[in-house]
Amino acid sequence: MNWRLMSEPRGADASAPPDEVRAQIERILSSQTLSGSDQLKRLLRLVVDRTLSGQPELLKEYNLGLEVFQRPPDYDPKVDPIVRVQAGRLRSKLIEYYASEGAQDSLVIQIPKGAYVPVFNARNAAAPTLDIKSRRQRVWLAAAGLAVLVVILVVARMARDSAAVPAADIHRSVAVLPLQMFTESGSRGHIANQVTEVLTTELAKNKQLRVLSRTTASKYRETTSSLPEIARALGVRWVVERGVGVQGSRAYVKLRAVDSLTDRKVWADVFDCDLSELVTVNARAADSIAAAIVAELPSSHSQH
């Protein structure tokens, strides 16, 4: 049976009582599967509440970005894919929940790919119940196989990218890693991304440097690898990192450039400015970083 609850007042779906759906949501939200996933909890509760109240038309990517993830009014889903990414994570978590803690639940809540309106399915009580342990094993085996495949593909891609960089070019190659937010981001979480983009763009204007694209460097937004390991994987010598903090109308940016061959800091500074001056200040920071790196280059490159 497939229940699509579009409005609580209509009462057309008597076989799918809103109270039963809400009770199921509370079970999922309090589960170990979603423990520590506050954003996913907010997303799940909102899409279900909107559907039960007869407002599925409000479940658009832009609206969810504003309401769930506190994006600013000028938020552009094409630039910032947080809603799509988190919705994908939520779909995976729901599958995990129903394969473990919710294996005996009578009501299944799903969010179909390509949409954000949830679907409510009743389990067929007459159908034979699969062995939970066997089901879990299949899920974990499939996940393990996928993880192995991903690792193989990533390693192959890294090897290919590294091999594609001529040895001589590595000495003048720079990667700007995704900057952190040092303070509670709220609706300003995009500022770190903007500063990263400015630094990458401004550094790329220096013809003596080879600057990796932001897309390539963004693979290392969250990693436990050391800077030398990251640099080797990206095929660069120089790495720019650190982050941004925002307090009221002021911003401060901490940056440093590291020589991955020696794990030595060759430049570092802190910039404190008004938010309106952030782009200009970071363009100047990029000039200082470029000058520091060029000064460290072998003479055969610094004269290009």
Side-chain angles (χ1 to χ4, degrees), residues 21 46 49 71 85 94 133-134 155 162 177 201 232 240-241 243 251 261 265 271 281 284 294 297:
V21 176
L46 180 66
D49 285 347
R71 288 309 191 250
V85 171
L94 288 173
K133 184 177 180 180
S134 175
V155 171
S162 179
L177 298 186
T201 301
R232 283 195 296 271
V240 179
E241 63 159 3
L261 297 183
K265 180 171 60 179
F271 301 88
V281 167
R284 292 204 303 267
V294 169
L297 295 178

Side-chain angles (χ1 to χ4, degrees), residues 140-213:
W140 286 112
L141 283 173
L146 180 60
V148 170
L149 178 60
V150 169
V151 170
I152 292 173
L153 291 174
V154 169
V155 171
R157 177 65 180 271
M158 287 179 176
R160 187 190 71 187
D161 289 348
S162 179
V165 181
D169 281 349
I170 290 180
H171 290 291
R172 62 187 186 90
S173 296
V174 185
V176 180
L177 298 186
L179 300 183
Q180 308 170 38
M181 278 300 292
F182 291 135
T183 55
E184 184 66 31
S185 61
S187 63
R188 295 173 167 179
H190 63 291
I191 291 178
N193 291 335
Q194 291 179 344
V195 174
T196 304
E197 183 67 38
V198 170
L199 288 172
T200 302
T201 301
E202 293 299 321
L203 282 172
K205 293 179 181 179
N206 190 306
K207 302 303 182 183
Q208 294 175 269
L209 300 178
R210 173 186 172 274
V211 182
L212 262 67
S213 70

